[in-house]
Amino acid sequence: MPELNQHPENEHQQPSGATRRQFLRGAGTAGAAGVAGLTVMGLGGCAEGAQTSDIRPGQGSAEPGDNDFLAKARVPFDGPHQAGVDTPQQSFIKLIAFNLKESKTSREDVIRLMRLWTDDARRMCSGLAGLADLEPENLESTANLTITVGYGRSLLDKIGLSDKAPEWLGDLPEFSRDELVDAWNGGDICLQICADDRFTLSHAARFMTKTARTYVDVAWMQDGFLHARGSIEPGTTPRNLFGQLDGTANPAPDEHDDIIWINDGPEWLRGGTAMVIRRVAMLMDEWDILDRASREVAMGRTIDTGAPLTGTDEFDDPDFEALDQYGLPVIDPNSHMARAFSTDRSERIYRRPYNYDMPPGPDTRGTSNSGQIFICFQKNPLKQFVPIQQRLDEADRLNEWITHIGSAVFAVPHGTNEGDYWGQDLLEG
Amino acid sequence: MPELNQHPENEHQQPSGATRRQFLRGAGTAGAAGVAGLTVMGLGGCAEGAQTSDIRPGQGSAEPGDNDFLAKARVPFDGPHQAGVDTPQQSFIKLIAFNLKESKTSREDVIRLMRLWTDDARRMCSGLAGLADLEPENLESTANLTITVGYGRSLLDKIGLSDKAPEWLGDLPEFSRDELVDAWNGGDICLQICADDRFTLSHAARFMTKTARTYVDVAWMQDGFLHARGSIEPGTTPRNLFGQLDGTANPAPDEHDDIIWINDGPEWLRGGTAMVIRRVAMLMDEWDILDRASREVAMGRTIDTGAPLTGTDEFDDPDFEALDQYGLPVIDPNSHMARAFSTDRSERIYRRPYNYDMPPGPDTRGTSNSGQIFICFQKNPLKQFVPIQQRLDEADRLNEWITHIGSAVFAVPHGTNEGDYWGQDLLEG
C-alpha cells in the first residue's frame, strides 16, 4: 500500500448515541469494577494503513460450487517459503508446542524427527495419508491443509546450536500488563496446522503428534477458528468475538518481502520468518456491559463498517487531528487504533489471528473462556511487533477488556524442495 | 426400512491381514495393558439395519455454489417439532447445560427465561440478531443455526412440576463400565445449539448464555464438530475420530414418527422427544496401536466402506450366522455392531453424534482429549437407548478403547408456533 503513514483530515463520523465524556465515565466504572484488563493488539487494530488484499480468496484446485471443493482444495507444501504464513487464512487452526524428551536432545534425534514430520506433512498436504496412517480415510478432505514448523530458542540451545539463533529468538520483553500463564508459554518446537475442515485438522494434528511421541512431549495446544468458508464474502475482513472487523490493515502481497520474509543472516532463515503467538483472553462479561458507542471509541473505528471514526469506509486512512464539536479528538489518542498506529514504516507486521472459545474452566475469569490467538509474522519481532505492543501496553482503551495470557516466539525456517526436510541446513550445517 | 431384523447369510469379507485369533490375542494384550476401557454405542454401531437417507442434504434457502450459501442458509424455527432434532446435522454443536440459580426457582422465573430465550432463538435462527444484541454483525451468517431446548428432571422438581415429568426423565440406570464425571452430568436445562459456522455458533451461544445469566448458571458446556460442508459428499455417512463411518443405521424420515416423536402422555411432550447425551472418551493412544484388521473385527464392519464384514456395501444387512474358514463367526458376536444390533424393532434410536477434540488437561488420560458426544433422540430412553447400551456395557470389543464419562437426559418439548415460547403448556398448565 503506497498511502502509508498519512493522517488525512476528516472530521465527521462521530460514534453515535454517546459522547466521548459518557464513554470515559463508562470506562472508569468498568475499570473500577476490578477488571485487571491488560494489553492487546491485533484485535481489530492496525499498525499501518495498508489494505487487505489477500484474505480468503479461493485457492487450491477447486472452488465453491464444486460439491467437493474443500475435499480437493490443496495448498502446495514445497516452495521457497513454508505454507501457512502468507497463505490466505483457513477457517481453523491448531497450534501445538512440543518439548524434546530428556532422552532425545541430540541433533540426530531432531534430524530424525524432522525427516519423519516433513515427509508426513508433505504427504498429508498433498492428499496422501501420512506413512503408516491406519485411518487414511480421515484425510479424505485436504481442505487447504497447511502444516508449518517453528523452532524456539530452547530447541537450539538444547541441541547445541545456540550460535545459529537470531538475536530476536527467545522470550519477548516483559510487558507491564502481561498475565502470562506457563501453560501457554514457550516451547522447543511449534507446529501450526491449519485447514478449512475441523475434522481434517483433528486428524492431521493427531497424526503429527503420534509420529513424534518418541521424541517430544506436548507442551501446549491451542484451537482457533474464523468464519466458515461460504459464510462471508471472499476478500472481506473477518470479525472477532468483540464484533470488530479484524485484519483490515494487513500488508498486501507486494509488501511481504519487506515485512515477513527474512533475507539476510543465517542461511536456514533466509526465506523464513519470525512467528509471534500471543494468547489474548477477551473479558466478555465486562465487554457485554459496554455500549456500542463506547466500543467504537475504544477501538477508534466503527463496528459496522470498520471505518476509522473520521471516515466512512473500512480502508479510509484515519485522521488523528480531527476534532469533534467539543474540541476533543474524534479518534481518541488512547484508542486501540491510535496506539497501534505507527508512522515508522519498519514497525509493520503480518497478522494471522484466530478466535478461540472454550468451555470455561476453573482458571477462567467470569462466564467465558474466549479470546484471540494473536499470531503475527515478521522479519524481526524486536523491531516490528515489540514497539507496537509496547505502545499498546502503555495505553490502549481496549486493555480494560483483554489480557495477554500466553506468549511464544518461534523461528520459521525457509521452505523446502521435494525431498528436503524442515530445517535441514540448520541441522546439518 | 422394510428389511429390519434379518440376518442374511453371507460368508465372504473376512478382515484382511489378520485372523480372528490374532485379533483376540491382540485385544487381550491391549486389555492387559491397563486400559480401563468402557462402554460405547453409536461409534459407528447400529441398533438396526435401516439406511440413512437424510444426512446433510442442502437445506435452508441457499446452496453451495452461491457465494453466501452458508450466510443465508436457515432452518425454520417454528413448527410442530423443535428444529435441531431430525434436522440434517450441521458441522458444529455447542451443548450447554444450565442450573437455575437458587433465587430463581419459581415457575414465573422459568417462564420469564423461556420467553426471553424463545424470542432470541427465533430471531437469531431467522437471521435477526437477538434483542439488544450489541454485536448483531457477528450473526451475519445464519449457517443453518438451530437452537433446541430440553428440560431435566431436576428442573421440573425445582419448580413444582414433578407430576408432569415422564417416568423416563432422570438419570439413566448405572452401567457397570461408566466412569461418569460430575462435570459432564445432568443439568436443569439444556440448550443444543448447532450451525455450519463455528463463529456463528460462538456468537449465538454467547448471546443465549448472556440473556440467561440472571436466571441460571452454566453447569457444563460441550463443543463438537463433523466435517465441514463441502468436504464430504452430501448424503454420505461422516466418520468419527477412530476412522469409522458413523451414522450408517439411522432411521429414515418416514420412521421418525415411530422412533423419535412422542405422541401420547402429557401435552407438552406430544411432538417432543427424549434426548440422551453421553460423553464418550476415545482412548486414541491405545487405539493407535491396534492394527487395521483388528479394528474391523472390533467394529464388525470394514473401515473403508463401512460394510458389515459379511457384505460389500455400507448398507448391506449383516449376516451374523456366517462362518469363516476356521468355523468362527465372520462377525464377532462381541463386535460393536453385533452387540448393538437388535431384533426388537422397538429398540431403535435416532443418533446425532459429534466428535470432540480438545487440548489434553490434567484430567485426561494419555496424549489425547478426544472422543464423541453421543446424542440420540427417541420416545423413551428406558425402552430404546437403555437396552442397547446394556448389551454394549456387558460386552463390546470397542469397550477397550472408549469410556463413557458424561451422561444426561432431557425432555425436549414440542415445537412452537410464532409467538409461543418453549414449554408454554408445561409451564402454564
Side-chain angles (χ1 to χ4, degrees):
Chain A
M1 285 292 99
E3 324 74 16
L4 287 173
N5 310 329
Q6 296 175 7
H7 296 226
E9 301 287 320
N10 185 340
E11 193 148 340
H12 70 295
Q13 194 76 8
Q14 176 73 346
S16 58
T19 64
R20 173 70 38 77
R21 289 180 218 283
Q22 284 172 332
F23 166 71
L24 293 175
R25 282 200 299 276
T29 309
V35 188
L38 302 193
T39 290
V40 75
M41 76 170 305
L43 286 160
C46 71
E48 27 51 49
Q51 183 163 340
T52 304
S53 60
D54 60 343
I55 294 183
R56 301 167 65 70
Q59 52 179 309
S61 56
E63 282 292 321
D66 184 0
N67 243 344
D68 47 9
F69 74 97
L70 273 185
K72 294 179 183 165
R74 287 171 199 157
V75 179
F77 179 82
D78 290 306
H81 311 303
Q82 286 191 61
V85 176
D86 66 354
T87 303
Q89 276 190 272
Q90 298 96 325
S91 296
F92 301 98
I93 191 172
K94 207 181 258 279
L95 284 170
I96 315 177
F98 300 88
N99 290 326
L100 294 184
K101 286 182 187 286
E102 287 190 12
S103 60
K104 299 285 180 185
T105 55
S106 76
R107 207 194 295 188
E108 289 65 37
D109 290 320
V110 177
I111 289 175
R112 270 185 222 110
L113 174 60
M114 290 302 142
R115 281 187 194 279
L116 284 169
W117 258 357
T118 311
D119 185 50
D120 283 329
R122 183 182 284 125
R123 288 174 62 93
M124 289 197 283
C125 296
S126 311
L128 304 166
L131 263 186
D133 186 353
L134 290 177
E135 294 124 11
E137 292 89 351
N138 279 6
L139 204 75
E140 66 190 320
S141 172
T142 42
N144 291 312
L145 176 68
T146 58
I147 306 181
T148 314
V149 77
Y151 301 151
R153 158 73 67 170
S154 55
L155 176 78
L156 275 66
D157 290 347
K158 284 179 184 175
I159 61 175
L161 291 175
S162 307
D163 59 323
K164 301 285 185 65
E167 43 129 18
W168 50 259
L169 186 58
D171 293 343
L172 293 173
E174 272 184 46
F175 301 103
S176 67
R177 290 171 178 276
D178 281 359
E179 292 191 12
L180 303 183
V181 177
D182 279 347
W184 301 116
N185 285 343
D188 293 346
I189 309 176
C190 180
L191 290 183
Q192 175 194 269
I193 312 181
C194 297
D196 280 312
D197 183 317
R198 182 64 182 76
F199 187 82
T200 298
L201 180 66
S202 199
H203 182 71
R206 175 69 190 163
F207 194 79
M208 294 296 280
T209 308
K210 190 162 61 177
T211 298
R213 64 180 165 190
T214 317
Y215 299 93
V216 290
D217 295 313
V218 171
W220 50 256
M221 200 180 279
Q222 302 193 40
D223 273 302
F225 60 91
L226 298 174
H227 262 302
R229 290 175 77 92
S231 259
I232 62 172
E233 197 70 32
T236 58
T237 309
R239 291 183 187 269
N240 64 31
L241 295 172
F242 278 171
Q244 302 160 339
L245 288 173
D246 200 332
T248 299
N250 247 359
D254 64 359
E255 300 176 300
H256 292 184
D257 279 340
D258 284 346
I259 293 167
I260 303 175
W261 305 118
I262 296 167
N263 54 10
D264 56 11
E267 186 62 33
W268 69 280
L269 272 173
R270 292 192 197 180
T273 184
M275 180 187 201
V276 170
I277 302 169
R278 304 279 292 181
R279 190 169 177 90
V280 184
M282 292 161 66
L283 309 177
M284 301 301 285
D285 293 348
E286 288 80 6
W287 183 255
D288 284 343
I289 58 178
L290 193 65
D291 67 56
R292 196 165 157 105
S294 305
R295 296 176 179 198
E296 295 185 330
V297 172
M299 192 59 213
R301 290 180 179 272
T302 63
I303 292 172
D304 57 351
T305 64
L309 296 181
T310 51
T312 55
D313 182 84
E314 180 184 353
F315 301 109
D316 285 348
D317 288 316
D319 173 6
F320 294 105
E321 310 302 321
L323 302 179
D324 66 14
Q325 55 184 321
Y326 307 103
L328 291 167
V330 175
I331 298 175
D332 188 313
N334 283 340
S335 68
H336 183 71
M337 182 179 63
R339 295 298 299 173
F341 192 93
S342 173
T343 56
D344 183 346
R345 192 177 162 74
S346 68
E347 289 178 15
R348 300 181 62 203
I349 54 176
Y350 185 79
R351 284 169 298 139
R352 209 170 184 278
Y354 283 88
N355 308 296
Y356 74 86
D357 169 28
M358 296 174 64
D363 299 335
T364 46
R365 190 183 302 172
T367 65
S368 73
N369 182 7
S370 51
Q372 183 174 84
I373 307 170
F374 174 84
I375 300 168
C376 71
F377 296 98
Q378 60 263 293
K379 292 168 187 263
N380 184 332
L382 299 179
K383 293 182 180 167
Q384 292 169 272
F385 171 77
V386 168
I388 303 169
Q389 183 56 28
Q390 273 166 343
R391 284 196 303 277
L392 294 174
D393 185 55
E394 284 162 19
D396 171 4
R397 292 232 170 273
L398 267 192
N399 286 345
E400 297 295 330
W401 301 283
I402 57 180
T403 310
H404 284 226
I405 60 174
S407 184
V409 177
F410 297 100
V412 176
H414 62 66
T416 45
N417 294 312
E418 204 183 328
D420 295 349
Y421 64 86
W422 283 329
Q424 188 162 350
D425 50 8
L426 167 70
L427 295 164
E428 295 181 3
Chain B
M1 285 290 99
E3 324 73 16
L4 285 173
N5 310 330
Q6 296 173 9
H7 296 226
E9 300 288 319
N10 185 340
E11 193 149 342
H12 72 292
Q13 194 80 7
Q14 175 73 347
S16 56
T19 66
R20 173 69 40 75
R21 286 181 221 285
Q22 283 171 331
F23 166 71
L24 292 175
R25 282 200 299 275
T29 310
V35 188
L38 302 193
T39 290
V40 75
M41 77 168 306
L43 285 160
C46 72
E48 27 51 47
Q51 183 165 341
T52 304
S53 59
D54 60 343
I55 294 183
R56 301 167 66 68
Q59 53 178 305
S61 55
E63 281 295 319
D66 185 359
N67 242 347
D68 47 11
F69 74 97
L70 273 184
K72 294 178 183 167
R74 286 170 201 158
V75 179
F77 179 82
D78 289 307
H81 312 302
Q82 288 191 60
V85 177
D86 66 353
T87 303
Q89 277 190 272
Q90 300 97 325
S91 296
F92 302 98
I93 191 172
K94 208 181 258 278
L95 285 170
I96 315 177
F98 300 88
N99 290 326
L100 294 184
K101 286 181 187 287
E102 287 189 14
S103 61
K104 298 286 180 184
T105 55
S106 76
R107 204 192 299 189
E108 289 64 39
D109 290 321
V110 177
I111 289 175
R112 271 185 222 111
L113 173 60
M114 290 301 141
R115 281 187 193 280
L116 284 170
W117 258 357
T118 310
D119 185 50
D120 284 328
R122 182 182 285 125
R123 290 173 61 93
M124 289 198 282
C125 296
S126 311
L128 303 166
L131 263 187
D133 185 353
L134 291 178
E135 293 124 12
E137 292 89 352
N138 279 7
L139 204 76
E140 67 190 318
S141 172
T142 42
N144 291 312
L145 177 67
T146 57
I147 306 179
T148 314
V149 78
Y151 300 151
R153 158 74 64 169
S154 55
L155 177 77
L156 274 65
D157 290 347
K158 284 179 185 176
I159 62 176
L161 291 174
S162 307
D163 59 322
K164 300 284 185 68
E167 42 129 21
W168 50 259
L169 187 58
D171 293 342
L172 292 173
E174 272 183 47
F175 300 101
S176 67
R177 293 172 176 276
D178 280 0
E179 291 191 14
L180 303 182
V181 177
D182 279 347
W184 301 117
N185 285 344
D188 292 347
I189 308 176
C190 180
L191 291 182
Q192 174 194 271
I193 311 180
C194 298
D196 280 312
D197 183 315
R198 183 63 182 78
F199 186 84
T200 298
L201 180 65
S202 199
H203 182 72
R206 176 69 191 164
F207 194 78
M208 293 296 281
T209 308
K210 190 162 61 178
T211 297
R213 67 182 164 189
T214 317
Y215 300 92
V216 290
D217 295 312
V218 172
W220 50 256
M221 201 181 279
Q222 303 192 43
D223 273 302
F225 60 91
L226 298 174
H227 262 302
R229 289 177 79 92
S231 260
I232 62 172
E233 197 70 30
T236 60
T237 309
R239 292 184 185 271
N240 65 32
L241 296 172
F242 279 170
Q244 302 160 340
L245 287 172
D246 202 332
T248 299
N250 246 359
D254 64 0
E255 300 176 301
H256 292 184
D257 278 340
D258 283 346
I259 293 166
I260 304 174
W261 306 119
I262 297 167
N263 54 10
D264 56 11
E267 187 62 33
W268 69 280
L269 270 173
R270 292 192 196 182
T273 185
M275 179 186 202
V276 170
I277 303 169
R278 305 279 289 181
R279 190 167 177 92
V280 184
M282 293 161 65
L283 309 176
M284 301 301 286
D285 293 347
E286 289 79 6
W287 183 254
D288 284 343
I289 59 177
L290 193 65
D291 66 55
R292 196 163 157 107
S294 305
R295 295 175 180 198
E296 295 185 330
V297 173
M299 192 60 215
R301 290 180 179 272
T302 63
I303 293 171
D304 56 352
T305 65
L309 295 181
T310 52
T312 54
D313 182 85
E314 179 185 353
F315 300 109
D316 284 348
D317 288 317
D319 173 5
F320 294 106
E321 309 302 321
L323 303 179
D324 68 14
Q325 53 185 322
Y326 307 102
L328 292 168
V330 175
I331 297 174
D332 187 313
N334 283 340
S335 68
H336 183 71
M337 182 178 63
R339 294 298 300 174
F341 193 93
S342 173
T343 55
D344 184 345
R345 193 178 160 74
S346 68
E347 289 179 14
R348 300 182 62 201
I349 54 177
Y350 185 81
R351 287 168 296 140
R352 210 171 184 277
Y354 283 89
N355 309 296
Y356 74 87
D357 168 29
M358 295 175 63
D363 299 335
T364 47
R365 190 184 305 174
T367 64
S368 73
N369 182 6
S370 50
Q372 183 174 83
I373 306 170
F374 175 83
I375 300 168
C376 71
F377 296 98
Q378 60 263 291
K379 290 169 188 263
N380 184 332
L382 299 179
K383 295 183 178 166
Q384 292 169 270
F385 171 78
V386 168
I388 304 168
Q389 182 58 27
Q390 272 165 343
R391 284 197 303 277
L392 295 173
D393 185 54
E394 283 162 20
D396 172 4
R397 294 233 169 274
L398 266 192
N399 287 345
E400 297 294 329
W401 301 283
I402 56 180
T403 309
H404 284 224
I405 59 174
S407 183
V409 177
F410 297 100
V412 176
H414 62 67
T416 45
N417 294 312
E418 203 182 329
D420 293 349
Y421 63 86
W422 284 328
Q424 186 161 355
D425 49 10
L426 168 69
L427 296 164
E428 295 182 2

